[in-house]
Amino acid sequence: MEELVIRDADVVDGSGSDAYRADVVVDGGRIVSIVKEAAAAGCQRPKARRELDAEGLVLSPGFVDMHAHSDLALLRDPDHSAKAAQGVTLEVIGQDGLSYAPVDDRTLGEVRRAIAGWNGSGDDIDFDWRTVGEYLDRLDRGIAVNAAYLIPQGTVRALVVGWEDREATPQELDRMRRLVAEGMEQGAVGMSSGLTYTPGMYAKDAELTELCRVVASYGGYYCPHHRSYGAGALEAYQEMVTLTRQAGCALHLAHATMNFGVNKGRAPELLALLDEALAAGADISLDTYPYTPGCTTLAAMLPSWASEGGPERVVERLADEGTAERIRHDLEVTGSDGCHGVPIEWDTIEISGVGDPALAGFVGHTVQESADVRGEAPWVTARGLLLADRLAPTILQHVGHEENVRAIMRHRVHTGGSDGILQGAKPHPRAYGTFPHYLGHYVRELGVLSLQECVAHLTSRPAARLRLPDRGLVREGYVADLVLFDPATVAAGSSFAAPRVLPTGIPYVLVGGRFVIEDGRRTDALAGRAVRRTPA
């Protein structure tokens, strides 16, 4: 007898088609049968060792977080309710060009320092891997939800070239190609870049194109955090489209926003650019989170020249009075490339987390507010905080536009990504709320998307980008990564005031047929594994 039958569910199957009533049978981690309208038809209903009454609940495929920063959280926190409780059954990690494989001992230490604001210091982690394959094997020991991995181009460059602003030599480019090929062979689904972060930002288009050719040869995709989301955003998007078309590589645009005052109301221009490329045969998708503020590290705002050489050199430059004044001028007057070419507005920069608990008083306040309290210029406050906290502070950047958010999420190549940073005392609520916020706010309350459309955006469309032939739909034979939610009550519990509150209206989540959320509570199941690239 089969393990589980989910009775009388309203199935929204991920295809975008209308919902239907069905009994869905799960066994051996897969969907083994779907009996439509079983009760109404008076047919023999399937039996199983366990029956779950799903009356009033929608059954959908598990949600895919196309942009996650859970690289260490998956290992550190077996509970991982931040994502499991949202109905996320697969996260794509290795984002923004910086993660923890492939590395050597030197590079690992540098990367840990550089992205401590995203993932913590890692002092509580046994880094017993160096290659992509070894990292995926570590995930296979058991994690809360599944994870796929992007080779981080910035880490690859740090390993081969270092943190200097220079072109790679032919020999270095050959080695980077080999590292990308090895990562793809070991199971990565593609490659990411952080082109406003060092050292990935130092790569010219020709270098990126060569690496993308390698990714394309394995059927993977390129996921860039491109060179600007502010001044020059449209040019930066076009650069990525042109680059990947030259390389013959699929393109997935990370957190595809149009931010800052210069881009208010300009989402239609971005979508027209993408539509033109799609009509010409480009393979493009994108992800967004359903909120207006962004989230990154305070150090990311600095100009690229100030970040050359790695984290220790950044601290040295900040400590030098003359150099610090040059940094301030770039930030406040010129418009630093780290701040997307827009002069920084300190009243939009809210400190969301710090590494040193003694600095917790800054959290929840903008740099401008803290400076006013201290009776000093905001740059003095920001500089002092960066030095005191050794570059660890994370920020919320309040520079988005609601009309842009809504326009982009309607696009036919859109998928959902939280870009959720789980560190800090006051993280962005998207880390805990992205997927229920789509379903509750943008579907039920605003009607920006229909329920069927939204589920397709969060399930089958990302599964297709990841080339996963047996996920993303409620179909017989597919992996039983499933979510049961109440469409009348599903909502994000998290807010900017209380960002770590779990969602409501998602009582059941299954990963590989095992309950990770049951009756609204996290079980002890570690049902997730590394999801490796399907060979081209």
Side-chain angles (χ1 to χ4, degrees):
M1 183 178 290
E2 278 77 19
E3 296 171 3
L4 171 68
V5 59
I6 303 170
R7 292 213 185 280
D8 294 320
D10 293 321
V11 179
V12 177
D13 67 4
S15 68
S17 301
D18 290 343
Y20 59 84
R21 178 65 65 93
D23 291 353
V24 177
V25 182
V26 172
D27 191 64
R30 292 185 177 267
I31 300 167
V32 296
S33 68
I34 302 171
V35 183
K36 296 184 178 181
E37 303 293 346
C43 62
Q44 180 68 37
R45 304 192 71 174
K47 297 185 182 299
R49 289 193 292 275
R50 176 175 177 181
E51 297 185 4
L52 176 61
D53 181 4
E55 182 69 36
L57 298 178
V58 167
L59 175 67
S60 81
F63 306 137
V64 180
D65 188 341
M66 285 295 287
H67 193 100
H69 288 286
S70 301
D71 306 48
L72 298 186
L74 282 162
L75 303 177
R76 173 187 297 119
D77 176 19
D79 180 77
H80 205 48
S81 288
K83 293 302 180 66
Q86 293 186 60
V88 171
T89 59
L90 171 61
E91 298 183 275
V92 185
I93 55 178
Q95 299 285 352
D96 294 332
L98 289 166
S99 189
Y100 306 95
V103 293
D104 57 14
D105 291 348
R106 170 189 61 82
T107 310
L108 175 60
E110 293 167 343
V111 169
R112 286 176 58 183
R113 177 73 177 280
I115 55 175
W118 296 355
N119 297 312
S121 67
D123 291 342
D124 52 348
I125 301 292
D126 179 12
F127 288 88
D128 59 351
W129 68 85
R130 293 295 180 270
T131 69
V132 170
E134 289 168 350
Y135 176 66
L136 298 181
D137 289 344
R138 174 69 179 274
L139 298 178
D140 276 341
R141 298 180 198 172
I143 48 181
V145 302
N146 299 308
Y149 190 71
L150 295 167
I151 301 163
Q153 170 260 329
T155 299
V156 170
R157 197 172 212 273
L159 178 58
V160 176
V161 180
W163 297 75
E164 290 73 39
D165 182 2
R166 65 173 178 82
E167 291 190 25
T169 67
Q171 294 79 13
E172 288 169 336
L173 183 56
D174 283 344
R175 188 180 175 207
M176 286 192 283
R177 285 196 199 98
R178 290 196 301 273
L179 286 168
V180 171
E182 289 168 4
M184 295 299 295
E185 289 166 2
Q186 291 164 9
V189 295
M191 181 180 75
S192 75
S193 282
L195 299 180
T196 65
Y197 300 129
T198 54
M201 64 177 359
Y202 301 138
K204 301 292 192 292
D205 283 3
E207 178 180 315
L208 296 171
T209 300
E210 287 304 307
L211 299 183
C212 283
R213 292 188 202 280
V214 177
V215 172
S217 71
Y218 288 93
Y221 68 93
Y222 181 44
C223 179
H225 165 129
H226 51 271
R227 297 191 194 274
S228 175
Y229 291 82
L234 289 175
E235 293 81 359
Y237 280 113
Q238 183 64 65
E239 176 190 9
M240 295 298 100
V241 171
T242 301
L243 184 157
T244 49
R245 296 212 72 191
Q246 290 175 345
C249 188
L251 172 64
H252 180 84
L253 295 165
H255 38 60
T257 56
M258 292 287 287
N259 288 340
F260 302 91
V262 294
N263 289 317
K264 184 176 175 60
R266 298 187 69 189
E269 296 177 57
L270 166 62
L271 300 180
L273 182 160
L274 298 180
D275 284 338
E276 180 180 357
L278 288 162
D283 183 359
I284 301 173
S285 56
L286 58 85
D287 67 69
T288 67
Y289 46 83
Y291 300 87
T292 53
C295 179
T296 187
T297 63
L298 182 58
M301 299 293 100
L302 302 178
S304 58
W305 64 262
S307 300
E308 184 182 2
E312 290 299 333
R313 294 287 292 123
V314 178
V315 172
E316 291 172 11
R317 292 185 181 107
L318 285 168
D320 179 79
E321 293 295 336
T323 309
E325 174 55 24
R326 286 182 58 204
I327 293 171
R328 184 206 63 77
H329 187 272
D330 273 12
L331 279 169
E332 296 184 346
V333 180
T334 306
S336 141
D337 49 3
C339 196
H340 306 275
V342 177
I344 199 162
E345 296 173 324
W346 294 111
D347 59 353
T348 70
I349 306 296
E350 178 185 354
I351 303 301
S352 60
V354 292
D356 184 350
L359 300 169
F362 288 94
V363 174
H365 303 286
T366 68
V367 172
Q368 184 68 60
E369 288 169 342
S370 292
D372 289 345
V373 169
R374 297 163 70 89
E376 60 191 18
W379 165 242
V380 175
T381 300
R383 177 193 176 197
L385 183 57
L386 285 166
L387 286 169
D389 208 29
R390 305 291 291 179
L391 311 183
T394 52
I395 63 170
L396 302 181
Q397 195 169 15
H398 297 271
V399 292
H401 307 287
E402 180 66 19
E403 65 269 38
N404 288 347
V405 170
R406 295 188 193 187
I408 294 168
M409 74 169 64
R410 292 188 184 104
H411 198 272
R412 66 188 186 279
V413 301
H414 170 267
T415 67
S418 71
D419 195 13
I421 294 175
L422 299 168
Q423 291 296 118
K426 194 175 181 289
H428 197 302
R430 68 193 185 192
Y432 283 72
T434 285
F435 296 87
H437 197 51
Y438 269 120
L439 296 168
H441 186 59
Y442 286 96
V443 172
R444 183 180 63 246
E445 296 176 2
L446 299 180
V448 174
L449 296 169
S450 72
L451 180 60
Q452 291 79 10
E453 288 174 322
C454 186
V455 169
H457 285 226
L458 306 181
T459 60
S460 63
R461 193 171 294 168
R465 166 53 70 220
L466 296 168
R467 297 175 52 89
L468 302 177
D470 57 358
R471 297 176 195 261
L473 293 167
V474 179
R475 291 281 191 276
E476 291 181 355
Y478 275 54
V479 174
D481 290 347
L482 300 168
V483 182
L484 282 154
F485 63 89
D486 182 347
T489 63
V490 62
S494 61
S495 66
F496 287 99
R500 294 186 184 275
V501 179
L502 297 179
T504 58
I506 306 179
Y508 300 99
V509 180
L510 294 90
V511 174
R514 297 172 61 190
F515 286 95
V516 297
I517 299 292
E518 187 171 8
D519 294 324
R521 295 185 295 275
R522 178 72 171 92
T523 72
D524 60 2
L526 294 177
R529 298 293 184 271
V531 174
R532 290 167 168 80
R533 177 190 57 86
T534 300

